[in-house]
Amino acid sequence: MRVSSSGIRTAIAAVAGIATLTSAAVAQQLLPPFGRPAPIARPLTPKPPGVASTPSMRAASCHNGASFDRFLAGLKQQAAGQGVSQRTLAEASPYLVYDQGIVNRDRGQRVFGQIFIEFAGRMAANFRMQNGQQHIRTYAAAFARAEKEYGVPPAVIAAFWGLESDFGANMGKLPTLRSLVSLAYDCRRSERFQNETIAALKVIDRGDLTPGEMIGSWAGELGQTQFLPTHYFTYAVDYDGDGRRDLLHSAPDVIGSTANYIATGLKWRRGEPWLEEVRAPANFPWDQADLTIQLPRAKFAQLGVTYANGRPLPNDNLPASLLLPMGRMGPAFLVYANFSAYTQWNNSLIYSTTAAYLATRIAGAPPMRRPAVPVAQLPFNEIKELQQLLVRAGFDVGKVDGVLGQQSRSAIKAMQIKYGLPADSWPTAELLARMRGVPRAQAEPATLRATR
């Protein structure tokens, strides 16, 4: 679980069309299908890592110019002050080395521009749905226990499990302590990763994993649902009764721990839905389609919203928001209070919507409807230009980087309202043309003008 490879959660900040892919499974975008559940056999303990790269001098600026060795000595003192034993510190020391390559990867993260329908089509593919259903059958006792104790449906757990590591098949291959301490020494997010390093040492001290067993993603996430060490230490539970909380090798521990985190950390609401596909009529007031706007389902029904198969919505007061990850021409979903668990797990809206959709598929929902016509997406350079024009118009869109976050979407909606366009927060060539000052007739494609 991560935000920009760190697992540090914030509010909804990225929208459909751009996703930061950092999960071991997600980073590969689409893995070959697996016919059987991933094996849970314990691998051999890796040997300690070798000599790391020389620390970058720029990394020391936030530590009063201290060398990495001096920084590490101070970090060990902090860990000892928080109860980590000297034995654990000695065992972990060979792994607490700096790797400039990790810092370079953190500073050079890529984003993948895909519209939601493409991303979800790859990541919520049939093989991953079927694998999730198979794992629910294979580990039925653990899933039933987790649902009884935490109220989290098996499909919700299985969807995260599949997206994060393909059920343990792809958890990453790098020494966790080396990644964490390198990012802790670097100045970009030093305090956060100092805390994560100390949490990893606490996990070792508790007896859950050895330093050598801590192998995971380059950003320090561990296990089959990719917990950061702070979440591992806080939420991991021993579901197989062996006295350890082992999220790398024990499927029951993975199931119970993931349910604990979703319920306790992300405040899952027992017995409530999370996402349902719907249809919205062409005359829907699109400015009401926003995650920040909640209406009773009865109100959405009055506005003509139905389930995707045409069935009417319940005439009740359950609050919901209408989510249009690709604007009014793409799929539409009603999302409920539990959807916030997804956006907290990963603040990329394209990822969180895909995870929620995959959970519905594992639970038995049919595939989402495909758009009747392809939904146009502005290229990167035009999205960046649109952001620049929005800034010029007085909006705060955050960083002008070609990545459409929530601030950009809100500004787009405001300008759509100003120009009398459907206010669905989706950037279009027409909006860009209006903001450039190009007359409408000139802004439209010739094929569209010919149909008027």
Side-chain angles (χ1 to χ4, degrees):
M1 31 176 128
R2 81 240 352 104
V3 176
S4 297
S5 287
S6 70
I8 310 303
R9 292 165 183 77
T10 59
I12 302 169
V15 301
I18 302 290
T20 301
L21 305 184
T22 56
S23 304
V26 176
Q28 298 183 43
Q29 296 192 69
L30 183 62
L31 297 166
F34 298 96
R36 298 181 300 277
I40 309 299
R42 186 182 306 279
L44 296 175
T45 301
K47 295 180 180 180
V51 179
S53 305
T54 302
S56 166
M57 291 309 297
R58 71 180 180 188
S61 62
C62 56
H63 307 299
N64 297 319
S67 67
F68 175 73
D69 289 341
R70 283 184 57 194
F71 163 78
L72 182 59
L75 186 60
K76 288 180 177 179
Q77 283 186 336
Q78 291 182 51
Q82 294 185 36
V84 176
S85 69
Q86 291 299 318
R87 185 181 70 176
T88 291
L89 291 173
E91 290 175 352
S93 287
Y95 300 83
L96 294 170
V97 291
Y98 184 90
D99 187 343
Q100 182 63 43
I102 295 296
V103 173
N104 292 344
R105 291 183 70 167
D106 183 54
R107 290 174 176 270
Q109 293 181 70
R110 295 188 302 155
V111 291
F112 294 79
Q114 287 184 314
I115 58 177
F116 167 72
I117 200 87
E118 295 173 349
F119 184 86
R122 296 169 71 85
M123 300 309 300
N126 284 337
F127 82 86
R128 197 164 274 125
M129 174 196 71
Q130 293 162 1
N131 242 2
Q133 293 169 339
Q134 178 60 51
H135 276 71
I136 291 172
R137 291 191 292 268
T138 301
Y139 302 106
F143 275 111
R145 177 184 171 188
E147 185 169 24
K148 180 179 179 181
E149 292 182 354
Y150 299 111
V152 181
V156 173
I157 301 168
F160 281 125
W161 195 2
L163 284 178
E164 293 293 339
S165 74
D166 265 314
F167 306 99
N170 298 277
M171 292 185 286
K173 300 179 180 179
L174 295 174
T176 299
L177 290 175
R178 187 173 74 189
S179 294
L180 292 172
V181 78
S182 299
L183 294 171
Y185 185 59
D186 184 52
C187 290
R188 194 163 87 86
R189 292 171 293 175
S190 179
E191 184 177 354
R192 292 174 177 177
F193 280 99
Q194 289 181 60
N195 293 334
E196 295 298 340
T197 304
I198 293 172
L201 294 170
K202 290 180 179 179
V203 169
I204 297 167
D205 205 51
R206 190 167 62 183
D208 294 335
L209 298 172
T210 66
E213 286 177 313
M214 281 191 164
I215 299 294
S217 73
W218 66 264
E221 294 135 342
L222 278 165
Q224 298 188 31
T225 47
Q226 295 286 277
F227 276 25
L228 278 169
T230 50
H231 296 118
Y232 197 124
F233 185 73
T234 304
Y235 299 107
V237 295
D238 175 19
Y239 247 38
D240 62 11
D242 68 353
R244 306 195 324 156
R245 303 160 184 85
D246 186 351
L247 305 189
L248 277 75
H249 313 110
S250 169
D253 287 4
V254 169
I255 294 165
S257 301
T258 305
N260 185 24
Y261 174 66
I262 294 170
T264 309
L266 304 182
K267 309 303 181 186
W268 186 268
R269 298 167 66 146
R270 183 187 293 265
E272 294 190 14
W274 58 95
L275 174 146
E276 295 174 307
E277 188 184 5
V278 295
R279 291 185 189 180
N283 64 350
F284 185 85
W286 299 110
D287 61 329
Q288 297 298 296
D290 196 299
L291 287 178
T292 65
I293 297 174
Q294 286 192 329
L295 300 173
R297 274 198 297 204
K299 179 62 175 178
F300 281 112
Q302 292 174 11
L303 294 172
V305 177
T306 68
Y307 284 120
N309 61 6
R311 287 190 302 110
L313 296 175
N315 188 32
D316 60 26
N317 291 322
L318 185 65
S321 300
L322 183 62
L323 171 62
L324 305 174
M326 297 165 57
R328 71 192 190 283
M329 305 306 292
F333 302 96
L334 279 188
V335 297
Y336 302 92
N338 278 334
F339 187 69
S340 67
Y342 290 90
T343 59
Q344 290 178 75
W345 181 293
N346 188 310
N347 75 349
S348 165
L349 190 57
I350 193 172
Y351 176 97
S352 54
T353 307
T354 297
Y357 166 67
L358 176 57
T360 67
R361 294 281 287 126
I362 293 172
M368 77 176 95
R369 298 188 311 136
R370 306 287 298 187
V373 295
V375 178
Q377 181 185 25
L378 292 182
F380 172 84
N381 63 317
E382 292 189 356
I383 292 176
K384 191 171 182 179
E385 181 188 357
L386 181 58
Q387 288 178 317
Q388 292 168 337
L389 292 170
L390 290 168
V391 170
R392 196 177 304 166
F395 293 96
D396 179 8
V397 301
K399 188 176 180 181
V400 176
D401 55 3
V403 177
L404 280 171
Q406 186 63 31
Q407 289 170 288
S408 293
R409 280 177 64 95
S410 296
I412 287 168
K413 172 177 278 193
M415 294 306 296
Q416 287 171 328
I417 293 172
K418 175 181 177 179
Y419 289 122
L421 302 173
D424 61 359
S425 302
W426 185 250
T428 62
E430 183 175 5
L431 176 62
L432 178 59
R434 294 286 193 93
M435 295 198 69
R436 286 170 173 165
V438 178
R440 179 169 184 159
Q442 296 179 30
E444 291 176 346
T447 53
L448 181 59
R449 294 199 301 271
T451 62
R452 290 191 181 277

